[in-house]
Amino acid sequence: MAITSQVRSSGAFGEVIVHDWQVARLLKPSAIKPVIATLEQALVVKVLGRLSERDALVLREVIRKIVG
């Protein structure tokens, strides 16, 4: 899913605000957009960080709602 620092106050359907963005080692307050994509493992240059357990649980719930 796409992560962006373009955070809208209203929040769109499926958008998840990353509350613990500093713990996740993101540079700015961020949101996860409901855009699902895949890429080859070889294209991943490095891992920037990890979502906190709290944010990961919220993301999992939103994915369940989107996918059904």
Side-chain angles (χ1 to χ4, degrees), residues 7-8 11 15-20 30-32 55 58:
V7 179
R8 291 182 277 177
E15 187 174 291
V16 176
I17 302 297
V18 180
H19 293 285
D20 301 327
S30 301
I32 301 171
D55 288 328
V58 172

Side-chain angles (χ1 to χ4, degrees), residues 3 5 9 11-15 20 25 27-28 30 40-41 51 54-56 59 61-63 65-66:
I3 298 179
S5 61
S9 59
F13 173 77
E15 187 174 291
D20 301 327
R25 299 174 63 187
L27 300 176
K28 297 179 180 181
S30 301
E40 293 182 40
Q41 182 69 34
L51 291 177
R54 173 173 76 155
D55 288 328
L59 177 60
E61 185 58 35
V62 169
I63 291 171
K65 288 179 183 177
I66 292 171

Side-chain angles (χ1 to χ4, degrees), residues 22-40:
Q22 292 168 315
V23 172
R25 299 174 63 187
L26 298 171
L27 300 176
K28 297 179 180 181
S30 301
I32 301 171
K33 302 290 184 176
V35 177
I36 298 175
T38 61
L39 56 121
E40 293 182 40

